[in-house]
Amino acid sequence: MRLSRYFLPTMKDNPKEAQVVSHRLMLRAGMIQQASAGIYSWLPLGFNVLQKIEQIVREEQNAAGAQEILMPTIQSADLWRDSGRYDDYGQEMLRITDRHDRDMLYGPTNEEQVTDIFRTHVRSYRNVPLNLYHIQWKFRDEVRPRFGIMRGREFLMKDAYSFDLDFEGARRSYNQMFVAYLKTFARMGLKAIPMVADTGPIGGDMSHEFIILADIGESEVYCHKDWLDLDVLTSEIDYQGDLQPIVDKFTKIYAATDEKHDPSLCPPEDLVSTRGIEVGQIFYFGTKYSEALGAKVSKPDGGEAVVHMGSYGIGVSRLVGGIIEASHDERGIIWPEPVAPFGVGVINIRTGDEACDAAAEDLYAKLTTAGREPLLDDRDERPGSKMADMDLIGLPWQIIIGPRGLKNGVVEVKNRKTGETEEMTPEAALNKLAR
Ligand code: 5CA
């Protein structure tokens, strides 16, 4: 992509309305624009990152055996009356009436809808376990939407739903998602700690919230100090194998949200009390929805069983802000490589200079061919403002091309995270970055 053609409305000054770093940087980097309270448009740079995150979530869900579907955002109120949640959900639910006076709603979550799909098609124990997920916009009329897309009213969620014959099966499904979550967040460069959690309006009796520690986090959380040096999960996983040892490893060290905190479970000298951002939550809720909506399968030894269910959410849009909170400095965002909107930023310090233009174009073409998704700053701007913009948008690597360096046959390669720069020939820069 060429910056001269790219819609990247960056801002030099800090927007007044933003209270937290991630919101500030997302506005300044031209990633989002507020449409109304808690509702945002995603501009090219923001949308690019959102899609990268979505894709990692998708790959890890698929690897764990979940199957992608797409359910609508608008749902009929009838199903929610059957489950008893139409009244329970309260003012957070956006209720709509269609032209035939039918009650509809903008889905805040999809337990009812997916249970309806299941009960329509699945009747036999042979067809479970089944885990269906989608990545779809949700609406919750939050009392206090804030921190930009971190607590929005409209937000993008990955929600998966598992169906099993019995509790043992449901625990296996829960473990699969537990491990998939560890892997998903690790791939984004995040340490997300699974914490024993309350179940709220989803219901059920087993739940973990995945929390990244951050001072501005909305959740008050407690964990054993050993969490701070525990490595994230990066190994290959056999999802058909026994995952309990991995789950045990990551649950035996104390971690709990405020509602579930029990001081007797962690020695006070080891306890860390801090704040965190909830990027995902998983629930086992047994037969709460399957009972109410009649989702049953035949049992191997005859008779019928009401299926045991779980649901598993990831805040896909919230993650964009969460990653920025975890990875930035005073100059701007520092994207972890796997979610970076572009792999390399190529800065042509003097657009119009023949040698600079030729070198920049050549590197740009070769990095493109190598699949590194370069962003070329070919605008006619002051060098200082080009460098500031490139630091602000936080691509992991920069190649800075100027007339003085080129006279000596070199360009500058900068690592955005460490700030280290190195002079080398354009060929060497290409070898280093065109992996
Ligand atoms: N049905 C279950 C799991 S599929 C569910 O709705 N879970 S949830 O309520 O915990 O939401 C899942 C994730 O969505 C949360 O962990 C959080 O990361 C994200 N999320 C929830 N509310 C918001 C919001 N208002 N803005 C942005 N992200 C949100």
Side-chain angles (χ1 to χ4, degrees):
M1 181 57 68
R2 291 166 191 278
L3 251 181
S4 59
R5 317 260 337 136
Y6 191 54
F7 182 54
L8 182 73
T10 55
M11 291 178 212
K12 290 213 169 46
D13 299 317
N14 277 326
K16 284 189 293 295
E17 70 268 31
Q19 302 162 13
V20 296
V21 170
S22 58
H23 189 195
R24 227 164 19 236
L25 289 175
M26 286 183 77
L27 290 170
R28 283 194 50 209
M31 294 176 67
I32 51 169
Q33 175 170 327
Q34 186 172 21
S36 58
I39 304 180
Y40 289 83
S41 297
W42 292 78
L43 308 184
L45 189 76
F47 190 47
N48 179 322
V49 175
L50 188 67
Q51 287 176 304
K52 295 245 155 69
I53 292 173
E54 185 180 325
Q55 185 55 23
I56 292 177
V57 170
R58 175 177 288 122
E59 285 169 17
E60 294 300 327
Q61 289 292 292
N62 293 346
Q67 298 178 51
E68 188 169 15
I69 60 174
L70 184 59
M71 292 178 273
T73 54
I74 307 288
Q75 305 180 25
S76 152
D78 292 343
L79 272 175
W80 287 70
R81 292 205 174 91
D82 294 344
S83 74
R85 273 208 296 184
Y86 191 63
D87 295 324
D88 290 357
Y89 224 93
Q91 291 202 293
E92 264 192 27
M93 186 189 278
L94 180 64
R95 294 154 208 262
I96 311 164
T97 311
D98 73 8
R99 65 200 297 165
H100 305 293
D101 263 344
R102 277 191 284 257
D103 292 329
M104 313 289 287
L105 56 97
Y106 195 124
T109 176
N110 286 62
E111 279 80 3
E112 285 79 358
Q113 188 122 62
V114 77
T115 306
D116 181 49
I117 293 173
F118 181 90
R119 72 176 177 189
T120 307
H121 301 285
V122 183
R123 297 284 156 75
S124 161
Y125 69 90
R126 288 188 197 85
N127 299 31
V128 295
L130 183 65
N131 184 330
L132 300 175
Y133 76 98
H134 72 163
I135 300 173
Q136 177 62 292
W137 293 90
K138 305 287 186 290
F139 193 93
R140 292 182 186 173
D141 205 349
E142 303 275 352
V143 206
R144 270 188 82 197
R146 57 181 188 156
F147 301 163
I149 47 78
M150 292 257 255
R151 178 163 297 279
R153 293 200 296 163
E154 192 182 42
F155 59 96
L156 189 59
M157 192 201 287
K158 183 285 299 180
D159 37 328
Y161 303 88
S162 66
F163 302 87
D164 280 275
L165 188 60
D166 52 21
F167 173 73
E168 275 317 305
R171 190 215 293 278
R172 273 194 296 279
S173 296
Y174 189 89
N175 286 351
Q176 283 170 341
M177 287 293 109
F178 186 102
V179 171
Y181 276 37
L182 292 173
K183 291 217 53 156
T184 303
F185 298 126
R187 268 185 73 185
M188 297 172 192
L190 293 173
K191 178 187 276 188
I193 304 179
M195 302 201 178
V196 175
D198 201 27
T199 55
I202 309 295
D205 39 26
M206 178 159 76
S207 181
H208 286 90
E209 281 181 18
F210 287 75
I211 303 265
I212 53 179
L213 302 184
D215 295 338
I216 63 100
E218 293 188 290
S219 319
E220 230 180 293
V221 297
Y222 299 86
C223 67
H224 191 285
K225 65 175 167 38
D226 285 357
W227 266 113
L228 307 179
D229 337 290
L230 192 72
D231 285 334
V232 295
L233 182 67
T234 50
S235 54
E236 279 297 313
I237 303 295
D238 169 14
Y239 281 99
Q240 294 319 311
D242 181 14
L243 300 177
Q244 198 62 49
I246 304 176
V247 174
D248 290 346
K249 176 180 170 199
F250 284 89
T251 48
K252 73 168 195 276
I253 309 173
Y254 184 74
T257 61
D258 195 25
E259 298 86 9
K260 289 285 183 181
H261 177 47
D262 178 353
S264 72
L265 296 178
C266 184
E269 63 277 16
D270 295 337
L271 188 69
V272 180
S273 149
T274 177
R275 305 192 73 79
I277 301 167
E278 179 203 324
V279 288
Q281 184 167 9
I282 60 178
F283 304 83
Y284 162 73
F285 44 73
T287 58
K288 178 173 172 178
Y289 301 94
S290 44
E291 184 77 61
L293 299 173
K296 299 180 203 139
V297 293
S298 65
K299 289 200 281 193
D301 51 4
E304 279 188 324
V306 176
V307 291
H308 286 242
M309 292 177 60
S311 74
Y312 315 91
I314 290 183
V316 176
S317 49
R318 176 178 287 181
L319 271 165
V320 181
I323 292 170
I324 296 174
E325 289 294 338
S327 184
H328 67 269
D329 62 15
E330 64 292 342
R331 294 191 309 270
I333 302 167
I334 304 173
W335 292 114
E337 297 247 4
V339 299
F342 300 94
V344 185
V346 181
I347 305 179
N348 182 351
I349 288 290
R350 190 163 310 156
T351 308
D353 175 276
E354 216 174 295
C356 286
D357 288 355
E361 288 296 333
D362 188 54
L363 275 169
Y364 177 65
K366 288 176 175 151
L367 287 164
T368 303
T369 309
R372 290 292 283 147
E373 294 185 89
L375 178 68
L376 170 63
D377 193 345
D378 56 347
R379 296 172 304 171
D380 190 14
E381 290 275 344
R382 285 180 306 106
S385 109
K386 289 187 174 187
M387 311 256 232
D389 272 352
M390 203 55 93
D391 280 349
L392 173 65
I393 67 170
L395 310 184
W397 295 97
Q398 301 174 7
I399 302 179
I400 302 155
I401 302 168
R404 232 177 309 147
L406 278 187
K407 275 207 190 90
N408 303 321
V410 294
V411 296
E412 203 173 80
V413 173
K414 175 171 149 182
N415 179 304
R416 173 65 182 87
K417 186 171 178 179
T418 62
E420 278 161 12
T421 59
E422 227 184 313
E423 287 195 334
M424 58 184 83
T425 62
E427 293 70 37
L430 196 65
N431 276 336
K432 185 180 169 76
L433 299 183
R435 281 158 286 137

